[in-house]
Amino acid sequence: MTVLAGDTIVAIATAPGQGGIGIVRLSGPAAITIAESLCHCQLQPRHAHFTEFRAQGQIDPLDSGIAISFPGPHSFTGEDVVELQAHGGPVILDLLVKACCRLGARLARAGEYSERAYLNSKIDLAQAEAIADLISSSTEAAAITASRSLQGAFSHAIDTLNQVVIELRVYVEAAIDFPEEEVDFISQGQVAARLQKIREQLDKVTKSAQQGSLLREGMKLVIAGKPNAGKSSLLNALSGQDRAIVTPIEGTTRDVLIEQIQIDGMPLHIVDTAGLRDSNNPVEQEGIRRAWQQMETADRILLVVDSSNEQDLGADAFTLWPQIKSKMDNQVPITVIHNKCDLLERTPSLIEQDGQAIIELSAKLGDGIDLLREHLKQSMGYQGESSGLFSARRRHLDALSRAEHFLQQGELQLNTHGSAELLAEDLRQCQVCLGEITGEFTSDDLLGEIFSSFCIGK
């Protein structure tokens, strides 16, 4: 696909605020003409020109800086691109953008540069998304995986996988179209063996994508429980900072408090909430309502229990707070934290009881926090090694999951019914799912949703 629009776009490509240097980027058929009108000189391709930027009809220059042109198709977007490097003041950069618009450019939409690069086949969709992921990386490991995806590691893995699916599909359809050749591919076991290899290859790619998704999105961890159970102390212990106010007074925490940390490179979004109890105080009621709201969208809930309360000690999550079942539709996993184990002179421990993890610790002293950190990594399937991983999004994982479903279904059709026609159709559907990741099969609505989340100027 190619961009058919004949318009030229302009935007500030550097971050908002003041800086030593700011960049205004032009892309489109009139990019070089507009830039040369501002610079009052002819721009040689890929040469840095130190010049003054003058708006049309004005004698005094707006600023002085560097202009570099990148004629298409050898540019990021595949179109003519010019970068104007000026002093990084917001007012100066805004004046440059307005001057470009008066000369015929229009303001770029969010993500439009990357969208044009994708539409002009300079990058595929997975690489385009990796650009946004690289910019928004919150950890070093997330940045490395996003960079690897931008360089094409994820796309290459998908293309390789797609190729073996296509080759098997061609083999199966050839056997269907030429039955006179009497190729009994089912009894020979070649198709079953090749299907198994494809599933193993897909599983390997999926595991790498899942780890990359964890590095990108992290884990939302909601701390909940009764008042004065030690929720805020647990937040402080996990973050290593005194972020939440801790007092012996029940109901100290009235609102949601969010802290972002990382465990061995995995981002962790910790949410401290108001104590869960019946209250007539409207302010506390609102805090409790927000607590339930956060719990519904959590990846995991830490239900904190005061170990010094004998009534609560040893009870499971649903006995401790029966409303969890009635208030929450989704099955969010719960880890029960028996806090204040130091008061009972108990050693920190982690046990599994009826499929539910129970951890004894002391948030105040920090004893057992390492047990909790390891439990969180294991519960999310995080391995801590970023080598060979690539950045992935939820839509990628969904596409990989559907591809696996069609492979399973095709294998079932082959082994149960010996149906080559149904197997061929399942292989085609698998191919479509994989193609969605790189953009080979993608709806315009999805493209609009993806690129609208990008920042302006990228």
Side-chain angles (χ1 to χ4, degrees), residues 64-86:
S64 60
I66 293 173
I68 309 175
S69 70
F70 304 90
H74 306 296
S75 67
F76 172 69
T77 63
E79 307 171 326
D80 289 344
V81 172
V82 178
E83 290 191 352
L84 305 175
Q85 301 179 10

Side-chain angles (χ1 to χ4, degrees), residues 355-368:
Q356 191 170 83
I358 299 175
I359 301 177
E360 290 194 50
L361 54 76
S362 170
K364 181 178 180 180
L365 301 180
D367 296 340

Side-chain angles (χ1 to χ4, degrees), residues 174-243:
I176 296 171
D177 294 337
F178 302 101
E180 66 276 5
E181 298 295 330
E182 298 182 356
V183 179
D184 191 356
F185 63 90
I186 297 177
S187 62
Q188 289 177 357
Q190 292 185 26
V191 173
R194 289 168 70 173
L195 261 178
Q196 183 59 35
K197 285 185 178 179
I198 293 173
R199 290 189 61 185
E200 290 172 0
Q201 193 171 342
L202 176 60
D203 182 63
K204 184 177 179 181
V205 172
T206 301
K207 286 179 179 177
S208 293
Q210 288 171 339
Q211 291 295 301
S213 179
L214 275 178
L215 288 174
R216 175 184 175 269
E217 298 184 2
M219 175 185 187
K220 181 178 179 180
L221 189 68
V222 174
I223 303 175
K226 295 180 180 180
N228 213 27
K231 300 184 299 298
S232 297
S233 296
L234 184 60
L235 169 67
N236 291 340
L238 279 170
S239 66
Q241 301 180 47
D242 289 332
R243 294 289 296 157

Side-chain angles (χ1 to χ4, degrees), residues 30-66:
I32 295 176
T33 302
I34 292 171
E36 289 180 343
S37 296
L38 281 175
C39 300
H40 298 277
C41 67
Q42 189 173 359
L43 300 178
Q44 296 181 39
R46 292 170 183 76
H47 280 69
H49 298 265
F50 180 73
T51 183
E52 291 182 337
F53 305 124
R54 280 190 174 85
Q56 193 176 34
Q58 293 187 0
I59 299 175
D60 294 330
L62 298 174
D63 195 11
S64 60
I66 293 173

Side-chain angles (χ1 to χ4, degrees), residues 131-147:
I131 296 171
D133 295 342
L134 183 60
I135 293 171
S136 61
S137 298
S138 59
T139 67
E140 180 181 338
I144 291 172
T145 56
S147 179

Side-chain angles (χ1 to χ4, degrees), residues 5 46 67 72 100 102 111 123-124 156 212 240 255 272 338 342 357 394 419 425-426:
R46 292 170 183 76
C100 291
R102 283 195 293 269
I123 54 176
D124 62 34
H156 176 71
D255 202 353
D272 185 21
H338 286 168
D342 54 307
R394 291 185 186 272
S419 174
E425 174 59 19
D426 286 326

